[in-house]
């Protein structure tokens, strides 16, 4: 069977808000992990590295959630950590961290050592509240990057605006107290309409006209507050 030897990962979105994370090694790879983690609002990221750090890492270290320590890794660094990234250039150290995390049942991602990690990090495309992730199961980061770039050309800023519009509309529609089937039909009508295309073309007047045609009369007066900041 063609894919019989492929490792299968369970795809999830992990909430790290208010969690303590550890990053060992703050080189180029570690810097990327640090930036992506901060976007998810953890309680703390402790950065441990005994090498000279880049000015960018030091600048990010001014964030009150980031604690940088210039020293070697110590197993006690793992205490009370929710998630660990090991990004050192020492394969032996990375493997030791992987083994310790496995013993302590801590989520760990080891750079260039997927078989020692209990999760891998997909490539991420974000447009507002839209998040797309791409993974090739650790087989080809280069191909992952190509797919990511392809998707970035498709899912532009208009997707973020459309999602914002739907997010603003949803509570308004639900507050009308209509049957679930009516609400579902309305949301599907909006999704199937040309609104997304008009947003991509920058035709805000057309977007507002379409909304006036589709929305219940009670919500038509709210259209300006739904779209005025899309200009």
């Amino acid at each position: 069977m063609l894919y019989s030897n492929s490792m299968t990962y369970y795809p999830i979105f992990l909430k790290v808000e208010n969690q303590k994370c550890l990053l060992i090694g703050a080189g180029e790879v570690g810097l990327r992990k640090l930036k992506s983690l901060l976007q998810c609002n953890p309680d703390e990221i402790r950065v441990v590295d005994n090498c000279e750090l880049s000015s960018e890492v030091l600048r990010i270290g001014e964030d009150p959630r980031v604690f940088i320590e210039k020293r070697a890794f110590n197993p006690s660094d793992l205490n009370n950590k929710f998630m660990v990234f090991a990004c050192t250039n020492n394969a032996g150290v990375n493997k030791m961290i992987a083994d310790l995390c496995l013993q302590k049942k801590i989520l760990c991602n080891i750079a260039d050592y997927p078989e020692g990690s209990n999760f891998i990090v997909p490539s991420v495309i974000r447009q507002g509240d839209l998040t797309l992730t791409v993974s090739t199961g650790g087989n080809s980061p280069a191909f992952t990057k190509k797919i990511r770039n392809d998707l970035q050309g498709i899912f532009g800023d208009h997707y973020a605006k459309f999602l914002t519009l739907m997010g603003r509309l949803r509570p308004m529609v639900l507050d009308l107290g209509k049957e679930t089937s009516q609400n579902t039909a309305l949301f599907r009508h909006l999704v199937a309409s040309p609104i997304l295309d008009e947003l991509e073309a920058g035709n805000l007047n057309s977007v507002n006209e379409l909304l006036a045609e589709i929305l219940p009369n009670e919500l038509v007066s709210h259209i300006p507050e739904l779209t005025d900041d899309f200009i």
Side-chain angles (χ1 to χ4, degrees):
M1 186 176 177
L2 181 58
Y3 307 117
S4 61
N5 293 324
S6 298
M7 182 179 291
T8 301
Y9 291 93
Y10 189 81
I12 61 172
F13 284 89
L14 203 59
K15 182 179 179 181
V16 299
E17 186 178 15
N18 299 323
Q19 299 287 356
K20 297 182 188 304
C21 304
L22 174 66
L23 174 68
I24 307 116
E28 185 177 341
V29 175
L31 175 60
R32 290 203 301 271
K33 307 293 187 190
L34 180 58
K35 288 179 176 177
S36 61
L37 262 178
L38 277 173
Q39 291 178 355
C40 301
N41 202 26
D43 178 61
E44 170 189 309
I45 305 175
R46 191 158 298 275
V47 179
V48 175
D49 196 325
N50 57 3
C51 298
E52 289 300 321
L53 299 175
S54 69
S55 57
E56 188 169 10
V57 171
L58 293 174
R59 180 183 59 77
I60 294 174
E62 295 173 2
D63 187 302
R65 297 168 296 175
V66 178
F67 300 86
I68 296 176
E69 297 183 28
K70 190 173 183 301
R71 60 170 173 78
F73 166 76
N74 187 300
S76 64
D77 292 328
L78 300 176
N79 293 343
N80 301 315
K81 295 301 185 297
F82 174 70
M83 179 188 291
V84 172
F85 288 93
C87 309
T88 79
N89 56 9
N90 186 318
V93 171
N94 287 345
K95 185 176 185 311
M96 175 184 67
I97 295 169
D99 292 343
L100 288 169
C101 287
L102 183 64
Q103 292 171 19
K104 293 175 176 288
K105 303 187 186 308
I106 298 173
L107 288 170
C108 73
N109 176 265
I110 313 298
D112 297 327
Y113 185 37
E115 59 271 30
S117 308
N118 53 22
F119 74 95
I120 58 175
V121 180
S123 186
V124 177
I125 304 110
R126 295 185 194 275
Q127 285 291 357
D129 289 329
L130 175 66
T131 302
L132 304 172
T133 62
V134 180
S135 171
T136 53
N139 288 304
S140 176
F143 192 48
T144 300
K145 185 175 182 179
K146 174 187 170 12
I147 297 171
R148 180 179 184 276
N149 290 339
D150 290 347
L151 289 174
Q152 278 184 316
I154 297 171
F155 294 91
D157 178 59
H158 54 299
Y159 276 83
K161 289 177 178 174
F162 186 78
L163 265 182
T164 298
L165 172 62
M166 294 297 284
R168 289 171 178 173
L169 266 173
R170 187 172 182 80
M172 292 183 180
V173 171
L174 297 181
D175 282 349
L176 295 178
K178 297 191 177 183
E179 295 288 334
T180 300
S181 59
Q182 291 178 276
N183 294 338
T184 301
L186 174 61
F187 292 135
R188 288 179 178 174
H189 191 177
L190 289 162
V191 170
S193 75
I195 289 177
L196 183 63
D197 296 329
E198 296 296 348
L199 284 170
E200 182 178 18
N203 297 328
L204 191 56
N205 288 338
S206 298
V207 171
N208 290 342
E209 289 171 6
L210 285 164
L211 287 171
E213 293 174 11
I214 298 171
L215 293 179
N217 291 334
E218 302 96 311
L219 298 184
V220 170
S221 63
H222 292 278
I223 290 175
E225 66 189 85
L226 293 170
T227 63
D228 270 2
D229 59 352
F230 288 172
I231 299 174

